[in-house]
PDB file of all heavy atoms in Angstrom:
ATOM      1  N   GLY A1090      92.060  57.698 101.448  1.00 93.00           N
ATOM      2  CA  GLY A1090      92.090  56.363 100.887  1.00 93.00           C
ATOM      3  C   GLY A1090      91.863  56.351  99.371  1.00 93.00           C
ATOM      4  O   GLY A1090      92.360  55.482  98.659  1.00 93.00           O
ATOM      5  N   GLU A1091      90.985  57.316  98.804  1.00 93.00           N
ATOM      6  CA  GLU A1091      90.612  57.208  97.499  1.00 93.00           C
ATOM      7  C   GLU A1091      91.560  57.988  96.516  1.00 93.00           C
ATOM      8  O   GLU A1091      91.823  57.589  95.404  1.00 93.00           O
ATOM      9  CB  GLU A1091      89.184  57.871  97.353  1.00 93.00           C
ATOM     10  CG  GLU A1091      88.135  56.959  98.013  1.00 93.00           C
ATOM     11  CD  GLU A1091      86.692  57.661  97.955  1.00 93.00           C
ATOM     12  OE1 GLU A1091      86.680  58.812  97.394  1.00 93.00           O
ATOM     13  OE2 GLU A1091      85.737  57.220  98.508  1.00 93.00           O
ATOM     14  N   LEU A1092      92.118  59.063  97.078  1.00 93.00           N
ATOM     15  CA  LEU A1092      92.946  59.930  96.175  1.00 93.00           C
ATOM     16  C   LEU A1092      94.428  59.962  96.508  1.00 93.00           C
ATOM     17  O   LEU A1092      95.233  60.295  95.671  1.00 93.00           O
ATOM     18  CB  LEU A1092      92.443  61.404  96.231  1.00 93.00           C
ATOM     19  CG  LEU A1092      90.938  61.657  95.741  1.00 93.00           C
ATOM     20  CD1 LEU A1092      90.602  63.068  95.872  1.00 93.00           C
ATOM     21  CD2 LEU A1092      90.798  61.135  94.334  1.00 93.00           C
ATOM     22  N   TYR A1093      94.714  59.655  97.804  1.00 94.00           N
ATOM     23  CA  TYR A1093      96.178  59.783  98.140  1.00 94.00           C
ATOM     24  C   TYR A1093      96.727  58.479  98.762  1.00 94.00           C
ATOM     25  O   TYR A1093      97.701  58.569  99.505  1.00 94.00           O
ATOM     26  CB  TYR A1093      96.300  60.951  99.059  1.00 94.00           C
ATOM     27  CG  TYR A1093      95.862  62.239  98.504  1.00 94.00           C
ATOM     28  CD1 TYR A1093      94.575  62.737  98.831  1.00 94.00           C
ATOM     29  CD2 TYR A1093      96.635  63.036  97.767  1.00 94.00           C
ATOM     30  CE1 TYR A1093      94.162  63.960  98.335  1.00 94.00           C
ATOM     31  CE2 TYR A1093      96.219  64.239  97.194  1.00 94.00           C
ATOM     32  CZ  TYR A1093      94.993  64.683  97.520  1.00 94.00           C
ATOM     33  OH  TYR A1093      94.461  65.862  96.956  1.00 94.00           O
ATOM     34  N   SER A1094      96.187  57.413  98.502  1.00 86.00           N
ATOM     35  CA  SER A1094      96.630  56.163  99.223  1.00 86.00           C
ATOM     36  C   SER A1094      98.012  55.768  98.916  1.00 86.00           C
ATOM     37  O   SER A1094      98.672  55.067  99.737  1.00 86.00           O
ATOM     38  CB  SER A1094      95.652  55.028  98.827  1.00 86.00           C
ATOM     39  OG  SER A1094      95.627  54.818  97.431  1.00 86.00           O
ATOM     40  N   CYS A1095      98.538  56.190  97.726  1.00 86.00           N
ATOM     41  CA  CYS A1095      99.962  55.778  97.352  1.00 86.00           C
ATOM     42  C   CYS A1095     100.983  56.692  97.909  1.00 86.00           C
ATOM     43  O   CYS A1095     102.137  56.463  97.847  1.00 86.00           O
ATOM     44  CB  CYS A1095     100.057  55.680  95.886  1.00 86.00           C
ATOM     45  SG  CYS A1095      99.024  54.400  95.086  1.00 86.00           S
ATOM     46  N   GLY A1096     100.573  57.800  98.511  1.00 84.00           N
ATOM     47  CA  GLY A1096     101.555  58.780  98.996  1.00 84.00           C
ATOM     48  C   GLY A1096     101.435  59.354 100.287  1.00 84.00           C
ATOM     49  O   GLY A1096     102.247  60.098 100.807  1.00 84.00           O
ATOM     50  N   VAL A1097     100.308  58.991 101.029  1.00 95.00           N
ATOM     51  CA  VAL A1097      99.995  59.607 102.264  1.00 95.00           C
ATOM     52  C   VAL A1097      99.578  58.519 103.246  1.00 95.00           C
ATOM     53  O   VAL A1097      98.801  57.623 102.922  1.00 95.00           O
ATOM     54  CB  VAL A1097      98.814  60.685 102.127  1.00 95.00           C
ATOM     55  CG1 VAL A1097      98.436  61.264 103.451  1.00 95.00           C
ATOM     56  CG2 VAL A1097      99.217  61.733 101.106  1.00 95.00           C
ATOM     57  N   ARG A1098     100.042  58.629 104.508  1.00 96.00           N
ATOM     58  CA  ARG A1098      99.631  57.803 105.566  1.00 96.00           C
ATOM     59  C   ARG A1098      98.552  58.456 106.463  1.00 96.00           C
ATOM     60  O   ARG A1098      98.792  59.659 106.747  1.00 96.00           O
ATOM     61  CB  ARG A1098     100.851  57.378 106.430  1.00 96.00           C
ATOM     62  CG  ARG A1098     101.861  56.531 105.643  1.00 96.00           C
ATOM     63  CD  ARG A1098     103.164  56.520 106.379  1.00 96.00           C
ATOM     64  NE  ARG A1098     103.072  55.923 107.676  1.00 96.00           N
ATOM     65  CZ  ARG A1098     103.918  56.241 108.747  1.00 96.00           C
ATOM     66  NH1 ARG A1098     104.963  57.001 108.531  1.00 96.00           N
ATOM     67  NH2 ARG A1098     103.784  55.740 109.849  1.00 96.00           N
ATOM     68  N   TYR A1099      97.578  57.808 106.755  1.00 97.00           N
ATOM     69  CA  TYR A1099      96.449  58.334 107.544  1.00 97.00           C
ATOM     70  C   TYR A1099      96.510  57.786 108.995  1.00 97.00           C
ATOM     71  O   TYR A1099      96.644  56.645 109.270  1.00 97.00           O
ATOM     72  CB  TYR A1099      95.141  57.967 106.829  1.00 97.00           C
ATOM     73  CG  TYR A1099      93.880  58.311 107.716  1.00 97.00           C
ATOM     74  CD1 TYR A1099      93.244  59.470 107.479  1.00 97.00           C
ATOM     75  CD2 TYR A1099      93.409  57.471 108.658  1.00 97.00           C
ATOM     76  CE1 TYR A1099      92.055  59.879 108.179  1.00 97.00           C
ATOM     77  CE2 TYR A1099      92.161  57.832 109.360  1.00 97.00           C
ATOM     78  CZ  TYR A1099      91.633  59.033 109.193  1.00 97.00           C
ATOM     79  OH  TYR A1099      90.568  59.422 109.861  1.00 97.00           O
ATOM     80  N   VAL A1100      96.333  58.811 109.882  1.00 97.00           N
ATOM     81  CA  VAL A1100      96.374  58.463 111.340  1.00 97.00           C
ATOM     82  C   VAL A1100      95.144  59.145 111.960  1.00 97.00           C
ATOM     83  O   VAL A1100      94.887  60.364 111.742  1.00 97.00           O
ATOM     84  CB  VAL A1100      97.604  58.924 112.068  1.00 97.00           C
ATOM     85  CG1 VAL A1100      97.506  58.785 113.590  1.00 97.00           C
ATOM     86  CG2 VAL A1100      98.814  58.229 111.523  1.00 97.00           C
ATOM     87  N   ARG A1101      94.417  58.448 112.746  1.00 96.00           N
ATOM     88  CA  ARG A1101      93.219  58.994 113.384  1.00 96.00           C
ATOM     89  C   ARG A1101      93.531  59.127 114.880  1.00 96.00           C
ATOM     90  O   ARG A1101      93.849  58.154 115.573  1.00 96.00           O
ATOM     91  CB  ARG A1101      92.007  58.044 113.215  1.00 96.00           C
ATOM     92  CG  ARG A1101      90.712  58.651 113.732  1.00 96.00           C
ATOM     93  CD  ARG A1101      89.535  57.786 113.471  1.00 96.00           C
ATOM     94  NE  ARG A1101      88.292  58.339 113.896  1.00 96.00           N
ATOM     95  CZ  ARG A1101      87.295  57.620 114.438  1.00 96.00           C
ATOM     96  NH1 ARG A1101      87.421  56.281 114.494  1.00 96.00           N
ATOM     97  NH2 ARG A1101      86.153  58.168 114.810  1.00 96.00           N
ATOM     98  N   GLU A1102      93.533  60.363 115.316  1.00 96.00           N
ATOM     99  CA  GLU A1102      93.737  60.688 116.756  1.00 96.00           C
ATOM    100  C   GLU A1102      92.465  61.160 117.436  1.00 96.00           C
ATOM    101  O   GLU A1102      91.909  62.237 117.038  1.00 96.00           O
ATOM    102  CB  GLU A1102      94.816  61.812 116.890  1.00 96.00           C
ATOM    103  CG  GLU A1102      94.972  62.317 118.237  1.00 96.00           C
ATOM    104  CD  GLU A1102      95.308  61.248 119.254  1.00 96.00           C
ATOM    105  OE1 GLU A1102      96.247  60.443 119.058  1.00 96.00           O
ATOM    106  OE2 GLU A1102      94.589  61.286 120.231  1.00 96.00           O
ATOM    107  N   LEU A1103      91.885  60.425 118.424  1.00 94.00           N
ATOM    108  CA  LEU A1103      90.601  60.666 118.953  1.00 94.00           C
ATOM    109  C   LEU A1103      90.572  61.901 119.946  1.00 94.00           C
ATOM    110  O   LEU A1103      89.590  62.533 119.977  1.00 94.00           O
ATOM    111  CB  LEU A1103      90.071  59.466 119.594  1.00 94.00           C
ATOM    112  CG  LEU A1103      89.837  58.229 118.716  1.00 94.00           C
ATOM    113  CD1 LEU A1103      89.240  57.107 119.458  1.00 94.00           C
ATOM    114  CD2 LEU A1103      88.887  58.619 117.570  1.00 94.00           C
ATOM    115  N   ARG A1104      91.678  62.067 120.661  1.00 95.00           N
ATOM    116  CA  ARG A1104      91.649  63.236 121.608  1.00 95.00           C
ATOM    117  C   ARG A1104      91.874  64.544 120.854  1.00 95.00           C
ATOM    118  O   ARG A1104      92.872  64.678 120.131  1.00 95.00           O
ATOM    119  CB  ARG A1104      92.742  62.989 122.640  1.00 95.00           C
ATOM    120  CG  ARG A1104      92.608  63.972 123.804  1.00 95.00           C
ATOM    121  CD  ARG A1104      93.693  63.808 124.844  1.00 95.00           C
ATOM    122  NE  ARG A1104      93.530  62.548 125.575  1.00 95.00           N
ATOM    123  CZ  ARG A1104      92.686  62.276 126.508  1.00 95.00           C
ATOM    124  NH1 ARG A1104      91.744  63.169 126.877  1.00 95.00           N
ATOM    125  NH2 ARG A1104      92.568  61.066 127.053  1.00 95.00           N
ATOM    126  N   PRO A1105      90.910  65.448 121.071  1.00 95.00           N
ATOM    127  CA  PRO A1105      91.086  66.755 120.316  1.00 95.00           C
ATOM    128  C   PRO A1105      92.279  67.575 120.802  1.00 95.00           C
ATOM    129  O   PRO A1105      92.681  67.543 121.937  1.00 95.00           O
ATOM    130  CB  PRO A1105      89.715  67.457 120.562  1.00 95.00           C
ATOM    131  CG  PRO A1105      89.317  66.883 121.839  1.00 95.00           C
ATOM    132  CD  PRO A1105      89.779  65.513 121.937  1.00 95.00           C
ATOM    133  N   GLY A1106      92.786  68.427 119.889  1.00 96.00           N
ATOM    134  CA  GLY A1106      93.887  69.236 120.178  1.00 96.00           C
ATOM    135  C   GLY A1106      95.027  69.147 119.283  1.00 96.00           C
ATOM    136  O   GLY A1106      95.436  68.080 118.885  1.00 96.00           O
ATOM    137  N   LEU A1107      95.475  70.394 118.766  1.00 97.00           N
ATOM    138  CA  LEU A1107      96.487  70.432 117.745  1.00 97.00           C
ATOM    139  C   LEU A1107      97.775  69.824 118.222  1.00 97.00           C
ATOM    140  O   LEU A1107      98.529  69.046 117.464  1.00 97.00           O
ATOM    141  CB  LEU A1107      96.678  71.871 117.249  1.00 97.00           C
ATOM    142  CG  LEU A1107      97.625  72.038 116.084  1.00 97.00           C
ATOM    143  CD1 LEU A1107      97.172  71.242 114.877  1.00 97.00           C
ATOM    144  CD2 LEU A1107      97.650  73.565 115.676  1.00 97.00           C
ATOM    145  N   ALA A1108      98.212  70.179 119.451  1.00 97.00           N
ATOM    146  CA  ALA A1108      99.428  69.587 119.994  1.00 97.00           C
ATOM    147  C   ALA A1108      99.325  68.042 120.092  1.00 97.00           C
ATOM    148  O   ALA A1108     100.310  67.318 119.778  1.00 97.00           O
ATOM    149  CB  ALA A1108      99.770  70.191 121.366  1.00 97.00           C
ATOM    150  N   GLN A1109      98.250  67.612 120.505  1.00 97.00           N
ATOM    151  CA  GLN A1109      98.005  66.205 120.572  1.00 97.00           C
ATOM    152  C   GLN A1109      98.156  65.512 119.185  1.00 97.00           C
ATOM    153  O   GLN A1109      98.757  64.384 119.042  1.00 97.00           O
ATOM    154  CB  GLN A1109      96.559  65.866 121.178  1.00 97.00           C
ATOM    155  CG  GLN A1109      96.232  64.407 121.407  1.00 97.00           C
ATOM    156  CD  GLN A1109      96.866  63.877 122.683  1.00 97.00           C
ATOM    157  OE1 GLN A1109      97.229  64.678 123.594  1.00 97.00           O
ATOM    158  NE2 GLN A1109      97.046  62.561 122.767  1.00 97.00           N
ATOM    159  N   ALA A1110      97.524  66.126 118.237  1.00 97.00           N
ATOM    160  CA  ALA A1110      97.645  65.645 116.851  1.00 97.00           C
ATOM    161  C   ALA A1110      99.062  65.663 116.326  1.00 97.00           C
ATOM    162  O   ALA A1110      99.588  64.662 115.702  1.00 97.00           O
ATOM    163  CB  ALA A1110      96.776  66.492 115.922  1.00 97.00           C
ATOM    164  N   HIS A1111      99.831  66.726 116.685  1.00 98.00           N
ATOM    165  CA  HIS A1111     101.252  66.745 116.294  1.00 98.00           C
ATOM    166  C   HIS A1111     102.081  65.630 116.919  1.00 98.00           C
ATOM    167  O   HIS A1111     102.919  65.043 116.323  1.00 98.00           O
ATOM    168  CB  HIS A1111     101.843  68.117 116.570  1.00 98.00           C
ATOM    169  CG  HIS A1111     101.375  69.192 115.563  1.00 98.00           C
ATOM    170  ND1 HIS A1111     101.537  70.493 115.878  1.00 98.00           N
ATOM    171  CD2 HIS A1111     100.809  69.075 114.341  1.00 98.00           C
ATOM    172  CE1 HIS A1111     101.049  71.235 114.818  1.00 98.00           C
ATOM    173  NE2 HIS A1111     100.632  70.396 113.922  1.00 98.00           N
ATOM    174  N   ASN A1112     101.773  65.472 118.205  1.00 97.00           N
ATOM    175  CA  ASN A1112     102.552  64.421 118.913  1.00 97.00           C
ATOM    176  C   ASN A1112     102.203  63.010 118.376  1.00 97.00           C
ATOM    177  O   ASN A1112     103.099  62.170 118.223  1.00 97.00           O
ATOM    178  CB  ASN A1112     102.232  64.414 120.399  1.00 97.00           C
ATOM    179  CG  ASN A1112     102.810  65.598 121.095  1.00 97.00           C
ATOM    180  OD1 ASN A1112     103.775  66.170 120.683  1.00 97.00           O
ATOM    181  ND2 ASN A1112     102.228  65.962 122.295  1.00 97.00           N
TER     182      ASN A1112
END
Side-chain angles (χ1 to χ4, degrees):
E1091 294 174 4
L1092 299 180
Y1093 301 98
S1094 59
C1095 294
V1097 178
R1098 294 163 59 204
Y1099 173 91
V1100 173
R1101 188 176 181 216
E1102 171 56 51
L1103 296 181
R1104 188 179 296 281
L1107 186 55
Q1109 185 78 22
H1111 283 165
N1112 287 338

